[in-house]
Amino acid sequence: MKISKLGEFGLIDKLTSILQIKDSSVVVGFGDDCSCVNIHGELILFTSDIQLEGKHFIKEKIEPEDLGWKLVSINVSDIASCGGIPEWGFISVGFSPDTELEYVEKIYTGMKDACDFYEMDVIGGNTSASDFIFLDLFLTGKTGKFIGRNGAKEKDLVVLSGYTGLSRAGLELLLMDRKKYEDFEKRLIKAHTRPLARIDLSDKIMRYANSCIDISDGLLGDLRHIGKNSKLKILIEKDNLPVHPDLEKFCRKYNKDPLDYVLYGGEDYELVFTVSEENVKQFENCFVIGKVERGEGVFLKYKDLIEKLEEKGFEHI
Ligand code: MG
Ligand code: MG
C-alpha cells in the first residue's frame, strides 16, 4: 500500500504503533503538539518541525531571514500550545554545495532574531549535503502543567487567540507573482512569511485552559483534534468567527469567501483552546467562538441552522 492512501494521520498512527514507549517518566508520547517527560519532577516538552524546500517554501518566494524566523516560530508555537516556554533548540540542516554562504547566513540571522525574541537558544545540531534545502528544528521547553488536546470538558467555551486565514491569503498573493502589492496585501504576505507564536499566552494557557492546540493545519482541522481527543463535540458560532479587515479586503478584491479562509486556512500559529466559563475572563483580547458539548464532530451554527463541517484540514502527505 502506498502511504498516500493512509493520509498523514493514518500514517502517524501506523508508525507510532511500532514504536512502543517503555519509560514510565514519559507523561505524553505521540499524538499531541509536544511530547512531555517528567525529569526529576520537572515537566519537559519536546517538539520538532521542519521546513522543506518545494514542500513548505519556495526559495524565491521567502526572504532567508523570514525562513529562519518562521522555522523557530512554528516550533515555539507547539510549545506554547502545551502551556510551555521554549528553552533549547537543535537544528539539522541540509543545503546543496552550490548554495551561497550569504543565503545560509541570512537564514541563521533570522533564527537568531527569533531566538532573541522568544528568549531561547539553539545549542547544537547537524549539517548535511542535500539536493534541496531542509531545515529541521528540534525544540525543548518546560511547563508547570501539560495542556493537551484531550482535556476539553463539556460546557467549556472555545476560544481563539487571534485572526485566522491571513497566512493562506498571504501565500496565495505570493503565488500570484505580482510586481507590486497594496499595503494590506503586504501585511497578509507577512502573516505567512513571518508568523508570531503566541508565547505571550503560554502562562495563561497553562493556568486556565483545559485543552489547547496551535493552528497550523487550519482552524477546523485543528479543532477537530481537540474534539476527537477529548471525545466531545465542538459547536462553532459562525457570527463569532473573527474576520480581519485585511482578509475582508482581500476577499472582496479577489471574490473569495472569508469563511473558507478563516476555517480552512493553515499556518496561522494562533492558539485555539477550551476554557471554563469562569476562567474565560482571563483571556481579554481573544475571541469566544463556540462551546464544547456532549457528542462528537465539529459543527457550525448559523442562526437556527447547524451544519456538520466536512473534513478539509491540511494534510502533509
Ligand atoms: Mg501543532
Ligand atoms: Mg508543529
Side-chain angles (χ1 to χ4, degrees):
M1 187 202 281
K2 301 263 195 280
I3 56 173
S4 59
K5 254 204 138 167
L6 284 168
E8 180 184 4
F9 300 111
L11 179 66
I12 291 173
D13 284 347
K14 265 257 179 309
L15 298 183
T16 52
S17 70
I18 298 173
L19 298 170
Q20 288 177 19
I21 299 171
K22 297 170 285 293
D23 187 343
S24 61
S25 51
V26 178
V27 182
V28 178
F30 297 102
D32 217 301
D33 290 294
C34 296
S35 299
C36 180
V37 182
N38 184 329
I39 302 179
H40 308 305
E42 272 210 79
L43 296 179
I44 307 299
L45 303 170
F46 300 92
T47 192
S48 67
D49 216 333
I50 194 165
Q51 290 287 299
L52 278 184
E53 183 183 3
K55 186 77 191 167
H56 300 104
F57 69 93
I58 300 165
K59 197 178 170 194
E60 295 71 33
K61 295 274 176 209
I62 184 165
E63 295 297 330
E65 290 92 341
D66 288 342
L67 184 57
W69 171 280
K70 188 169 180 175
L71 176 72
V72 175
S73 290
I74 63 177
N75 278 283
V76 172
S77 180
D78 278 325
I79 298 273
S81 78
C82 296
I85 52 169
E87 285 200 299
W88 301 305
F90 300 81
I91 176 86
S92 286
V93 295
F95 294 101
S96 73
D98 61 357
T99 309
E100 292 292 332
L101 171 64
E102 200 192 352
Y103 178 82
V104 179
E105 284 177 330
K106 283 180 175 171
I107 293 177
Y108 273 66
T109 305
M111 276 169 44
K112 153 111 179 62
D113 291 345
C115 285
D116 292 347
F117 182 79
Y118 297 119
E119 297 180 12
M120 51 165 276
D121 289 299
V122 173
I123 62 170
N126 180 42
T127 51
S128 164
S130 170
D131 294 338
F132 51 86
I133 301 167
F134 71 85
L135 306 158
D136 191 5
L137 187 68
F138 168 76
L139 182 61
T140 75
K142 62 178 176 185
T143 183
K145 184 183 170 200
F146 184 90
I147 306 298
R149 303 170 174 190
N150 62 354
K153 295 189 166 61
E154 218 183 305
K155 298 196 178 120
D156 269 2
L157 297 174
V158 179
V159 184
L160 182 58
S161 65
Y163 295 96
T164 58
L166 281 67
S167 174
R168 180 174 139 198
L171 174 63
E172 288 179 7
L173 284 163
L174 268 179
L175 296 177
M176 285 177 197
D177 251 335
R178 295 226 312 267
K179 292 246 155 25
K180 269 183 112 178
Y181 289 100
E182 292 187 55
D183 283 347
F184 82 92
E185 293 175 321
K186 287 182 192 155
R187 289 194 294 271
L188 290 170
I189 289 173
K190 197 172 170 204
H192 178 73
T193 56
R194 213 171 167 88
L196 203 58
R198 297 306 307 270
I199 199 72
D200 55 315
L201 289 175
S202 284
D203 189 58
K204 285 191 173 175
I205 293 292
M206 180 189 80
R207 283 171 202 277
Y208 303 111
N210 290 328
S211 66
C212 183
I213 191 167
D214 71 319
I215 302 167
S216 51
D217 300 341
L219 173 61
L220 174 65
D222 288 315
L223 259 182
R224 186 170 284 117
H225 291 304
I226 288 188
K228 215 171 177 181
N229 290 31
S230 302
K231 299 191 173 64
L232 287 166
K233 168 178 154 185
I234 309 273
L235 184 66
I236 301 301
E237 292 269 355
K238 188 180 172 194
D239 285 341
N240 290 1
L241 286 171
V243 182
H244 192 281
D246 288 339
L247 180 63
E248 235 163 33
K249 268 191 203 165
F250 169 88
C251 289
R252 259 201 312 274
K253 182 169 173 181
Y254 297 102
N255 198 20
K256 306 274 190 183
D257 178 6
L259 189 66
D260 200 33
Y261 287 77
V262 168
L263 282 178
Y264 300 104
E267 295 197 288
D268 298 298
Y269 302 105
E270 291 293 341
L271 301 175
V272 64
F273 49 97
T274 74
V275 59
S276 69
E277 208 158 328
E278 183 194 343
N279 285 332
V280 76
K281 57 179 178 294
Q282 302 293 337
F283 299 93
E284 296 118 2
N285 296 317
C286 300
F287 305 101
V288 176
I289 58 167
K291 59 186 172 192
V292 180
E293 295 183 342
R294 193 175 303 174
E296 59 178 64
V298 182
F299 293 79
L300 188 70
K301 185 168 183 264
Y302 179 60
K303 299 205 160 81
D304 290 333
L305 281 174
I306 295 181
E307 148 192 31
K308 186 165 188 188
L309 290 168
E310 50 183 307
E311 305 260 344
K312 214 166 103 178
F314 188 78
E315 293 202 28
H316 297 269
I317 286 170

